[in-house]
Amino acid sequence: MGLFGDDFYSSKVSRRSKFSSNRKQHSETWNWKRAGQSHRRTSLSTLQVAMISSLTSAAFVILLYSWIIHAPTPATVVAAAEPSIDMIANAYDDLLVQAADKASPTIVSILNKQKAIEKEDSKQGLDDVSLGSGIIFEKKDNEAYILTNEHVVSGAHQLEIVLSNGQRKHAEVVGKDKISDLAVLKIDGAGVNQVAEFGDSRSLRRGETVIAIGNPFGLGGSLTSGIISYTNRMIPISLNGDGVFDWEQAVIQTDAAINEGNSGGALIDLHGRVIGINTMKIASTGAEGLGFAIPMHEVEKVVDHLMASGKVVRPYLGVYTVDLENEYAPITDEQRSDLKLPKSVTSGVIVLEASGPAQEAGFKLNDVIVKFDKQDIATTLELRRYLYEQKQVGDEMEITYYRDGKQMKATVTLGDRPNS
């Protein structure tokens, strides 16, 4: 069978074709004149067909030329397929709005009421109030739990929570940790219908859009937006508040505006997930767009401890120290002379006070610690890092130190840090 399924395009010869051929041989003379007449008619038909074909071809050429002249260029087609700037802007705005709407009901304002220091120009009994923010992250057994900064609740005589709907509740401290600057509070869960979703702060990239939600200057529910400026910044801090940096805090750096009262609030991504706890900003003159948040993968480790035991269990040595070499708080030549150190000893930590395990091991004022388990200890920050990252409660540790110019060693059994 041919491609079109009919005999006109077939290579086969039909019986009818053979029969017609035989008849043609027998009547060749009779058909000559008729054939001649048919030839004239066929020539006329061919002319007509030729004219019609010419006209059709001409019309097709004209239409094709017209289409080519008016057809859209490839650039026009691509431009038409690409979204407009307005479409992109609207989609971006929608993401911001949806993320804020998702997270906002879980953000609360915190009022830290403290007993006022009596002054001649103040009313006796009037409380001082400091402001902060918090995040509702769990609800169970008709109680809701709030995550915030330790410094937000520090020194509180009474804690009051204001929900996003304006409802006020009394709060109790479940646990807090000064080193990580985190605390967990508990409130009555009535009226709490939503808890925050945590995101993965380890997958953050510089340039990602983030939103800070909190209670700056008492303006609860405020939003500010910005980007991730740095994903894992190490910031030196002073745990004792004496201006000497004795610890480092891993933080997310952002240019989203973080002001007084934002502490403890949420830094969220465009999915409305909490990826950090707003904790501080650089307030130096001329500094703008330098805000910091504790990453959630660090927060979650601490929260588990606070929920379980009200504190983070860390090994405790019991020494209050100052660095032998510290550019921010250098010791005088006279003080160094009193230590009677060999000239070869240029770094270490000076014991100012000993308690707990250190006191039991016989440490005294002006002892200079230089090694833990044969590892050099040059600063208080290194001392803490070694204890918290390498040791556990109950571990024994060998300490190398100098007293009155003589090198000495002591073995200490590390304890549990007391609540005070």
Side-chain angles (χ1 to χ4, degrees), residues 323-325 347-349 369-370 376-383:
D323 297 349
L324 182 62
E325 292 292 334
S347 62
V349 294
I369 296 173
V370 293
D376 291 340
I377 299 297
T379 65
T380 301
L381 191 153
E382 290 181 7
L383 182 151

Side-chain angles (χ1 to χ4, degrees), residues 109-125:
S109 299
I110 299 177
L111 281 66
N112 179 338
K113 299 181 179 181
Q114 302 178 3
K115 289 185 177 179
I117 300 174
E118 294 185 9
K119 299 178 182 179
E120 293 181 1
D121 58 348
S122 65
K123 295 180 181 179
Q124 189 172 359

Side-chain angles (χ1 to χ4, degrees), residues 182-213:
L182 293 171
V184 172
L185 311 180
K186 178 175 66 176
I187 62 172
D188 171 31
V192 176
N193 302 314
Q194 189 173 334
V195 298
E197 178 185 354
F198 289 170
D200 183 7
S201 54
R202 287 167 294 193
S203 63
L204 294 176
R205 299 168 297 169
R206 287 188 301 168
E208 282 190 51
T209 297
V210 289
I211 304 171
I213 311 179

Side-chain angles (χ1 to χ4, degrees), residues 371-374 391 396-400 409-412:
K371 290 184 180 181
F372 281 171
D373 295 332
K374 299 181 181 180
K391 293 295 183 178
E396 288 189 347
M397 183 173 68
E398 182 184 73
I399 302 176
T400 302
K409 293 185 179 180
T411 299
V412 176

Side-chain angles (χ1 to χ4, degrees), residues 108 136 138-146 159-163 167-174 185-192:
V108 302
I136 302 173
E138 186 173 336
K139 182 181 179 183
K140 63 179 181 181
D141 300 331
N142 297 320
E143 293 178 327
Y145 294 86
I146 295 169
L159 290 170
E160 187 175 19
I161 304 299
V162 183
L163 302 181
Q167 190 176 3
R168 291 174 176 260
K169 293 178 177 289
H170 170 71
E172 298 178 6
V173 177
V174 174
L185 311 180
K186 178 175 66 176
I187 62 172
D188 171 31
V192 176

Side-chain angles (χ1 to χ4, degrees), residues 198-210 228 230-232 252 269 271 273-276 295-298 300:
F198 289 170
D200 183 7
S201 54
R202 287 167 294 193
S203 63
L204 294 176
R205 299 168 297 169
R206 287 188 301 168
E208 282 190 51
T209 297
V210 289
I228 297 292
Y230 205 86
T231 58
N232 188 29
I252 301 166
D269 61 18
H271 298 283
R273 300 172 301 202
V274 181
I275 48 90
M296 287 310 300
H297 69 274
E298 295 290 343
E300 290 180 285

Side-chain angles (χ1 to χ4, degrees), residues 14-25 27:
S14 66
R15 294 180 181 179
R16 182 177 179 184
S17 298
K18 293 179 180 180
F19 179 75
S20 299
S21 177
N22 292 335
R23 288 187 61 188
K24 182 177 182 183
Q25 291 176 1
S27 57

